[in-house]
Amino acid sequence: YAPITERATSGYTYGNIVWFETDEAGGRNIESTPQGETFEIEADGVIVTQGETNSGYQHSLELLDIIDDVRENWLGMVKTTTGHLEKISNAELPRFALVVANETFNGDHKYQILTYFDSQVAERTTRTSKTQAKTFDPDFPTYTIASVPRISDKFIYSEEFVDTLPTAIVEPTPVP
């Protein structure tokens, strides 16, 4: 992910991309569901056009563990003088670019990078605790994240294939 440092109709500015260390909080899985509604326009009982409103995506992201960076940069938790992280009830949730790296064996490139440019945690995470006799049965935090069209240019996400993980968000440029 990359924190959004400026979000305006004139454009966006992002901080550097933060990659999770796989052994600390790597993603176990992600499911991205399109958001919006379909519509049909009929004339004389015949569908003459159809389409959909594109409201972005809703993601369900399961991580190996929850780490302080995510708690602060996604959930808006505040570190107190005692070193604890505390949730403030009326805190505005931070916005960030969600960056997903999928390893690929397609062609010459090592990674498929999906960048969702304007994202925010849509629901607080659900955590459960359980014990299991004679086996290891961990629970993992699952985040519901909404990615919406950017207010500056309506871009939602980009897809690129690269050999190394990027360190910065690549701004989309429409083809004239």
Side-chain angles (χ1 to χ4, degrees), residues 39-56:
F39 63 88
E40 297 176 345
I41 298 175
E42 293 184 15
D44 297 326
V46 177
I47 298 173
V48 293
T49 189
Q50 60 186 9
E52 71 173 337
T53 57
N54 189 344
S55 300

Side-chain angles (χ1 to χ4, degrees), residues 104-120:
T104 181
F105 301 100
N106 182 11
D108 298 332
H109 300 292
K110 188 173 180 181
Y111 300 103
Q112 173 199 37
I113 304 296
L114 298 170
T115 302
Y116 297 89
F117 294 109
D118 191 345
S119 304
Q120 185 176 39

Side-chain angles (χ1 to χ4, degrees), residues 53-129:
T53 57
N54 189 344
S55 300
Y57 289 84
Q58 183 157 314
H59 313 279
S60 178
L61 173 63
E62 185 179 61
L63 298 180
L64 290 178
D65 196 4
I66 189 165
I67 56 176
D68 288 353
D69 286 351
V70 168
R71 291 178 184 183
E72 291 178 69
N73 295 331
W74 289 13
L75 301 176
M77 295 182 80
V78 177
K79 193 170 281 191
T80 64
T81 56
T82 60
H84 296 97
L85 284 170
E86 302 290 337
K87 179 69 178 161
I88 299 172
S89 67
N90 62 349
E92 184 174 331
L93 292 175
R95 301 186 88 84
F96 53 90
L98 179 64
V99 184
V100 179
N102 294 313
E103 289 187 42
T104 181
F105 301 100
N106 182 11
D108 298 332
H109 300 292
K110 188 173 180 181
Y111 300 103
Q112 173 199 37
I113 304 296
L114 298 170
T115 302
Y116 297 89
F117 294 109
D118 191 345
S119 304
Q120 185 176 39
V121 172
E123 297 174 5
R124 289 175 287 170
T125 58
T126 301
R127 296 290 310 246
T128 59
S129 297

